[in-house]
Amino acid sequence: MNYCINQAGKLGNTDDAEYLQELSEQIENGDIVTPREYVMKYGGSIRSMDNPDGDILGALFSNEYNLLDVIRYNYAMGYSQEKLVNHMLENPLPNIVSKLDIPLYFIMGKYDYMTSSYAAKKYFDTISDKHKKFITFEQSAHYPQLEEKEKFNEWMSDTFIHENK
């Protein structure tokens, strides 16, 4: 939220900054999350690529999809986000998972403001697990697997192929 308010202020979007400021108490209390459209608008989800959800115009003009497919996709994305966010607010993961007996990896982009690295690390540190690693991708936001593909693939290979031989 603070990231979005600061970015909106830097760009002179006072309406956005004021709107987000009005939501700050609800966000801080965990009643709602910072609206994703603002995180996306101000660069907190994507750094070095286009929209990871795909190219709507490209889908419309392809021979594989039609307008109804694009409408259904967008409806489903909104619906699933609403359900997932509401479920997450009602059932916070830290209240459910505090101990694991399997390897645990948190993969975070340094510039991710969809899921803040600070909040993720705070939760990560509370989890009891003998084999856990917090990995930060220095050039990514919310999608390190897409924004730093080579580094991510190398990490996956080193972790899951070479470590398990």
Side-chain angles (χ1 to χ4, degrees):
M1 175 199 56
N2 291 331
Y3 169 81
C4 292
I5 292 170
N6 290 337
Q7 292 302 108
K10 285 179 185 176
L11 295 172
N13 294 336
T14 55
D15 289 346
D16 286 356
E18 288 173 11
Y19 172 70
L20 291 166
Q21 196 65 48
E22 290 171 11
L23 300 178
S24 63
E25 186 175 332
Q26 290 176 286
I27 293 169
E28 288 170 5
N29 291 337
D31 298 329
I32 62 172
V33 297
T34 304
R36 289 187 174 277
E37 62 268 20
Y38 288 93
V39 179
M40 291 168 49
K41 180 177 183 178
Y42 292 110
S45 66
I46 304 167
R47 248 191 116 203
S48 60
M49 56 182 259
D50 291 331
N51 181 354
D53 291 333
D55 175 14
I56 292 173
L57 282 177
L60 276 174
F61 291 110
S62 77
N63 56 5
E64 297 178 22
Y65 304 103
N66 60 42
L67 178 60
L68 189 55
D69 292 328
V70 172
I71 291 169
R72 286 179 178 151
Y73 173 80
N74 284 301
Y75 173 78
M77 286 297 291
Y79 179 82
S80 64
Q81 280 298 307
E82 178 185 331
K83 294 296 182 190
L84 288 170
V85 168
N86 288 338
H87 180 73
M88 177 197 65
L89 291 172
E90 293 167 7
N91 306 289
L93 197 55
N95 295 347
I96 299 168
V97 178
S98 61
K99 183 177 192 256
L100 291 169
D101 294 321
I102 60 172
L104 170 68
Y105 303 97
F106 273 34
I107 313 296
M108 300 297 303
K110 180 179 178 178
Y111 299 96
D112 186 351
Y113 293 98
M114 287 278 205
T115 307
S116 88
S117 290
Y118 172 78
K121 181 70 166 105
K122 187 175 169 183
Y123 172 48
F124 175 85
D125 289 341
T126 69
I127 299 171
S128 174
D129 192 325
K130 291 179 185 174
H131 183 81
K132 66 180 190 176
K133 292 182 183 175
F134 191 93
I135 296 100
T136 302
F137 282 74
E138 297 292 328
Q139 303 303 316
S140 300
H142 193 64
Y143 303 95
Q145 74 278 18
L146 301 174
E147 294 180 287
E148 294 183 70
K149 285 180 190 178
E150 288 180 19
K151 183 178 177 185
F152 181 83
N153 291 339
E154 182 179 310
W155 176 81
M156 289 288 290
S157 176
D158 289 347
T159 302
F160 295 106
I161 295 173
H162 299 133
E163 280 186 15
N164 295 309
K165 280 188 174 179

